[in-house]
Amino acid sequence: MKIAFIGLGNMGGGMAANLVKAGHAVNAFDLSAEALVRAQENGCATFTSVREAVDSVDAVVSMLPNGKIVANVFETDVLGHAPKGAILLDCSTIDVDTARKVTADAVVAGYDMVDAPVSGGIAAANGGTLTFMVGGTDTAFARAEPILSAMGKAVIYAGGSGAGQAAKICNNMLLGASMIATCETFAMAEKLGLDLQTFYDISSKASGQNWSMTSYCPVPGVGPTSPADNDYEGGFATALMLKDLKLAMEAAQSVNADVPMGARAAELYDAFDKAGEGAVDFSAIIKKLA
């Protein structure tokens, strides 16, 4: 297939490269000249405008920073410019309402579209092992699944339009809260005199086991290799976790959901971000809890 890929940041660059590896012809666009150079090195054709990139393609994939940008790109440069038969896939993490509106506009304009946010971080984007949570019609999902499978290890249908975004923000609210709980637990274990590797060996096989501990341990030298072993560089930035938690708080308010743990996680990550830690991995919040 010929696929336009819009947004070649930390996640999108690796995703586009994996589409090339899967045998697709990729038309790449980004505002960053450096990102376009990397895309060329990875086998993509590069373009200086979205409209040029989406011309004559079979699919359009976007990976963009926020809902406002997603809405603007699709409404201004994709709808009516990409061929009517193209399948549209937005892999950005945005609010549910915007995802539904963009999809509704796409349908009116004659396109199939899915919202397909991802879980897995930069390493998974580069390695093609992302998990996609997909919202849209059955028909749109069937068309999108082969494209998403080239970039991930799991492609899961969540339901109708916006369901992918709903699943993503719920998942990341749980992740943010569980990471803070994991960090404060290790900090307390150390103050109680426990060896942290020993505590990991116990808790990772007991009822306290969770993904933040066993797959992404915030303590250097404990558990599988994680950003903690690289001075919290790489991984999933604190600023991005905060963005997702803010989306979760907006969604919770819109449906009157009681989320005290999620709300507290949002407060703590907001303070961590304001302390100048927005660029480090979100597990680095352990430094504030030690």
Side-chain angles (χ1 to χ4, degrees), residues 8 30-42 46:
L8 305 167
D30 195 275
L31 293 174
S32 165
E34 292 180 3
L36 292 176
V37 169
R38 288 194 298 270
Q40 286 180 330
E41 293 172 348
N42 289 327
T46 58

Side-chain angles (χ1 to χ4, degrees), residues 12-84:
M15 293 165 68
N18 282 317
L19 288 175
V20 173
K21 291 176 184 177
H24 300 294
V26 177
N27 290 357
F29 171 81
D30 195 275
L31 293 174
S32 165
E34 292 180 3
L36 292 176
V37 169
R38 288 194 298 270
Q40 286 180 330
E41 293 172 348
N42 289 327
C44 300
T46 58
F47 294 82
T48 56
S49 76
V50 173
R51 292 186 185 185
E52 289 177 326
V54 304
D55 184 51
S56 302
V57 299
D58 303 301
V60 178
V61 181
S62 58
M63 192 65 170
L64 298 165
N66 58 56
K68 183 177 180 180
I69 294 174
V70 169
N72 182 64
V73 166
F74 276 89
E75 293 170 7
T76 303
D77 295 315
V78 177
L79 303 185
H81 299 282
K84 287 292 178 67

Side-chain angles (χ1 to χ4, degrees), residues 21-227:
K21 291 176 184 177
H24 300 294
V26 177
N27 290 357
F29 171 81
D30 195 275
L31 293 174
S32 165
E34 292 180 3
L36 292 176
V37 169
R38 288 194 298 270
Q40 286 180 330
E41 293 172 348
N42 289 327
C44 300
T46 58
F47 294 82
T48 56
S49 76
V50 173
R51 292 186 185 185
E52 289 177 326
V54 304
D55 184 51
S56 302
V57 299
D58 303 301
V60 178
V61 181
S62 58
M63 192 65 170
L64 298 165
N66 58 56
K68 183 177 180 180
I69 294 174
V70 169
N72 182 64
V73 166
F74 276 89
E75 293 170 7
T76 303
D77 295 315
V78 177
L79 303 185
H81 299 282
K84 287 292 178 67
I87 173 71
L88 311 180
L89 307 86
D90 179 40
C91 297
S92 319
T93 297
I94 63 175
D95 61 284
V96 175
D97 288 345
T98 297
R100 287 174 175 164
K101 183 181 185 305
V102 173
T103 297
D105 290 345
V107 170
V108 169
Y111 300 89
D112 285 330
M113 184 170 184
V114 298
D115 52 284
V118 308
S119 179
I122 297 171
N126 292 335
T129 58
L130 292 167
T131 293
F132 291 89
M133 296 151 266
V134 190
T137 66
D138 291 343
T139 298
F141 175 73
R143 295 185 64 194
E145 186 175 18
I147 298 169
L148 297 173
S149 294
M151 301 182 285
K153 65 178 181 180
V155 180
I156 304 169
Y157 182 57
S161 177
Q165 298 296 348
K168 172 64 185 288
I169 60 177
C170 287
N171 178 79
N172 278 26
M173 183 177 73
L174 178 59
L175 174 61
S178 66
M179 177 57 78
I180 290 171
T182 299
C183 289
E184 65 186 17
T185 299
F186 272 104
M188 185 173 77
E190 185 172 39
K191 289 178 179 179
L192 289 171
L194 290 171
D195 175 76
L196 294 187
Q197 180 63 55
T198 300
F199 174 66
Y200 173 90
D201 293 341
I202 294 169
S203 194
S204 64
K205 297 176 178 62
S207 56
Q209 186 276 333
N210 64 85
W211 187 90
S212 292
M213 174 186 290
T214 56
S215 297
Y216 211 85
C217 189
V219 179
V222 176
T225 301
S226 70

